[in-house]
Amino acid sequence: AEVIIVFHTHYTGDHVPSMQAKAGVGETLNEIKEVAVINNDTPMHKVGLSNQEQTNFNKMISAIEKNCKECGDFLDQLVLLSGTKGDEKYHVASYVKQFFNSEIKAARAIGDVGKTFASLYNFYYDKTTALLDKIKTPKTRAQKSKLVHDSQNYLRENEGKFKAMIDLYKKIQESKQFIIDKLDDLETFRTFALTDNGYKVTGPEGYVLHKDGDMVKLVNRLEFSYINFTLAKKWR
C-alpha cells in the first residue's frame, strides 16, 4: 500500500509543550522517485494592488477593527456560555458556529445582516425544538424549555451585538477572500475534487501566510469548506 503524507510545517525547541511551529519542512530533502518533494511557495512578491484595491482593503480592515471594538467582549461572553453538555447545550451561544457552518453547507454567503440574524434565530429555534422533543419527563422538559426561552430573550436583548458579530464575520470573510483571490492568480498547482461526474478543478484549500516564524492560515470557506462538508468521504 502507498501512503501519502504531506509535511508543510516543522517544529523547533527542546520540549514538546514549548515547541514553536515554523513554515516549511525545515531542511533540504533528497529527491528520490518514491517521494515527491514539491516547493510550492506562492510568490507573494508578485502580488500587487491598485490604488483603488488598496483603499477598499483598508476600508475592510477599518470596519473589522470597528466591529471588534463593538462586540469583542460579547464574543468572549459567548465562548463562556457555550458548551455541549448540561444546561450550556441549550444556550444560543452553543449554536453560533453550527449556524455559520450550516450556511456554508447550503452555499450561502452572508449578505444582509438583519436577515442573517433572523436565520440564526430560526436555526436556534429549530435545533432546540428537536432537542426538547426528545425529552420524555415533563419536569425536565419544563426546566429545559425555560432555558431555551431565556436564551431566546438573550438573543432579542442582544440583537445589536449579534448583528455586529455577524457583520464582523462577514467582513473577515470578505477580506480573507480578497487575499485568496489575489493569490489564486499566482497558483501553479491545480486542485481537484471528486464528484459523481468525475474530477473537477477547484480553487486551493487556502494559503498559509508566514513571515519571521509567524503563520496565519486563510481557508476558502465558500469553496473548500463547502466541498469538505458536502462531498462523500469515500476514503473513510
Side-chain angles (χ1 to χ4, degrees):
E2 294 182 352
V3 178
I4 298 176
I5 303 175
V6 179
F7 295 96
H8 53 67
T9 307
H10 68 283
Y11 296 84
T12 60
D14 297 325
H15 304 285
V16 173
S18 60
M19 282 185 170
Q20 298 293 315
K22 304 289 185 180
V25 177
E27 60 183 79
T28 301
L29 299 178
N30 295 325
E31 294 191 12
I32 59 176
K33 65 179 182 179
E34 290 83 3
V35 178
V37 180
I38 300 171
N39 182 0
N40 193 32
D41 270 4
T42 302
M44 284 284 295
H45 63 282
K46 293 185 179 180
V47 176
L49 300 180
S50 66
N51 289 335
Q52 187 59 54
E53 287 175 328
Q54 184 68 60
T55 299
N56 292 341
F57 186 73
N58 289 340
K59 287 181 179 179
M60 292 181 194
I61 301 305
S62 295
I64 289 171
E65 291 173 343
K66 178 182 177 182
N67 280 333
C68 283
K69 292 177 181 178
E70 186 173 346
C71 67
D73 292 340
F74 179 66
L75 292 177
D76 291 337
Q77 185 182 96
L78 289 180
V79 172
L80 295 175
L81 292 172
S82 64
T84 58
K85 298 179 180 179
D87 292 348
E88 291 175 342
K89 72 177 181 180
Y90 292 91
H91 198 281
V92 65
S94 303
Y95 295 85
V96 172
K97 183 178 179 180
Q98 290 184 42
F99 168 72
F100 284 127
N101 283 341
S102 73
E103 294 296 285
I104 295 295
K105 291 176 185 177
R108 286 193 294 264
I110 302 299
D112 183 87
V113 171
K115 291 181 179 179
T116 303
F117 173 78
S119 296
L120 170 62
Y121 189 99
N122 293 333
F123 179 85
Y124 172 68
Y125 175 84
D126 292 340
K127 287 290 185 180
T128 51
T129 297
L131 206 58
L132 292 172
D133 286 344
K134 296 178 181 179
I135 300 175
K136 305 301 181 184
T137 309
K139 181 179 179 181
T140 303
R141 182 183 175 89
Q143 291 173 341
K144 303 308 181 185
S145 294
K146 184 180 184 306
L147 292 175
V148 172
H149 177 73
D150 290 344
S151 195
Q152 288 173 327
N153 287 336
Y154 179 85
L155 255 170
R156 287 188 286 265
E157 291 166 1
N158 292 281
E159 180 175 344
K161 293 179 180 178
F162 272 104
K163 286 182 176 179
M165 175 199 70
I166 293 169
D167 194 49
L168 173 61
Y169 176 89
K170 176 184 176 182
K171 292 293 192 301
I172 290 175
Q173 293 302 316
E174 289 173 349
S175 62
K176 283 171 53 180
Q177 197 60 48
F178 176 86
I179 297 171
I180 288 171
D181 289 344
K182 278 291 181 181
L183 295 174
D184 279 351
D185 291 337
L186 303 174
E187 189 57 57
T188 57
F189 285 84
R190 296 297 89 193
T191 307
F192 303 89
L194 180 60
T195 70
D196 292 337
N197 298 318
Y199 287 96
K200 72 171 184 178
V201 179
T202 70
E205 171 185 351
Y207 298 90
V208 176
L209 309 182
H210 59 92
K211 182 179 180 181
D212 300 330
D214 294 327
M215 294 186 291
V216 176
K217 185 174 183 178
L218 304 181
V219 175
N220 188 333
R221 292 274 286 164
L222 285 177
E223 184 170 23
F224 174 80
S225 295
Y226 168 77
I227 292 172
N228 206 32
F229 281 140
T230 56
L231 283 187
K233 301 296 190 295
K234 295 184 178 180
W235 48 268
R236 287 183 178 176

